[in-house]
Amino acid sequence: MKKATFLFLLLLIAVAVNSQTERKTYWDMAIISETGDTIAMFNLNPVYVFAPMKFKDEKQRQAYSKLVRDVRITYPYARKIAEAVIETYEYMQTLPTDKERQKYLEDVQKFMMSEYKPKLKKMTKAQGKILIKLVDRECNTSSYNIVKALLGSFKAGVYNAFAGLFGNSLKAEYEPDGRDAEIENIVVQIKQGTIDYYYARNYHGWK
């Protein structure tokens, strides 16, 4: 199985049922002051501040630069793919038979292959691994459990074996406070629009 084909199959099936809902700024309520003025009240997204990174040598600094590049490339695709798969899963639950669900799943897979295969083929092995991690980030359960629920234990084991060929495991969990902390920090910076600031400060001001 080719790398690009495997990644699409993995990303199409191995994703959680529920995505994490992105918090947005919205109107909550308004209050009227003693002077009769109407004052709007908002719930605002949190703002995260990161301490300067300390690199022990030039090699580590270059590794950080490469990671930022790879996350910036893969994160938008992870969001799109996760959203598409979640919609697919929810629609499949409305179909009455396994045959109809399988047919719909195959149709969606063909569409996603034609839509994203040219882009995935350009990704490096490292970017492919990060892409799978970032799709898992949008999940509330492991990819292995989803494959098992949809296709059964045998196919879940087969797909997990293929994942092992690329240094991944469907049973692995995204660890934002552990081994994936640097990826998580970069994603947060991308989402709040501060990635360029922190990259410039960390990469160019490390000494």
Side-chain angles (χ1 to χ4, degrees):
M1 184 178 292
K2 295 182 180 179
K3 179 179 71 172
T5 302
F6 165 72
L7 284 174
F8 275 115
L9 186 58
L10 177 62
L11 293 174
L12 180 64
I13 301 173
V15 69
V17 179
N18 298 314
S19 66
Q20 297 174 346
T21 302
E22 182 178 357
R23 297 181 62 183
K24 298 181 179 179
T25 302
Y26 61 94
W27 282 87
D28 187 16
M29 64 176 64
I31 61 173
I32 300 177
S33 68
E34 295 179 355
T35 60
D37 295 325
T38 301
I39 303 174
M41 297 181 64
F42 296 90
N43 277 347
L44 300 175
N45 292 331
V47 176
Y48 297 93
V49 178
F50 299 88
M53 296 183 66
K54 296 181 179 180
F55 306 113
K56 61 183 180 181
D57 52 33
E58 177 66 18
K59 182 178 180 181
Q60 191 177 66
R61 183 174 75 136
Q62 293 297 335
Y64 163 75
S65 179
K66 183 176 180 293
L67 183 63
V68 171
R69 180 201 66 188
D70 290 345
V71 173
R72 293 178 99 162
I73 289 173
T74 55
Y75 181 62
Y77 293 119
R79 290 294 304 273
K80 291 178 182 178
I81 291 171
E83 289 171 1
V85 176
I86 291 165
E87 291 176 2
T88 299
Y89 181 88
E90 291 177 347
Y91 181 75
M92 285 176 60
Q93 304 315 299
T94 68
L95 299 176
T97 66
D98 290 340
K99 184 176 181 180
E100 289 177 287
R101 286 190 286 270
Q102 181 61 34
K103 176 63 169 58
Y104 182 73
L105 185 62
E106 291 173 357
D107 290 340
V108 172
Q109 181 180 338
K110 290 178 181 178
F111 168 77
M112 294 185 71
M113 286 288 288
S114 63
E115 180 73 14
Y116 294 108
K117 185 176 181 179
K119 301 173 179 116
L120 273 184
K121 288 176 67 176
K122 297 179 181 179
M123 289 186 181
T124 65
K125 181 179 179 180
Q127 290 169 354
K129 292 174 68 174
I130 292 174
L131 179 60
I132 293 174
K133 283 179 175 287
L134 291 177
V135 172
D136 284 343
R137 183 185 184 273
E138 306 299 315
C139 305
N140 290 324
T141 188
S142 72
S143 297
Y144 180 85
N145 289 337
I146 298 303
V147 178
K148 183 177 179 180
L150 290 174
L151 301 178
S153 299
F154 176 75
K155 287 190 175 180
V158 171
Y159 293 138
N160 195 43
F162 275 116
L165 298 177
F166 298 95
N168 291 286
S169 171
L170 299 186
K171 296 181 180 180
E173 296 181 355
Y174 183 73
E175 299 178 11
D177 298 320
R179 62 183 178 182
D180 300 315
E182 284 192 1
I183 294 177
E184 179 67 15
N185 289 347
I186 294 168
V187 169
V188 171
Q189 291 164 17
I190 291 173
K191 293 179 68 175
Q192 69 180 16
T194 57
I195 182 63
D196 291 329
Y197 166 75
Y198 283 108
Y199 176 76
R201 187 185 67 175
N202 291 326
Y203 186 78
H204 298 293
W206 69 292
K207 290 185 178 180

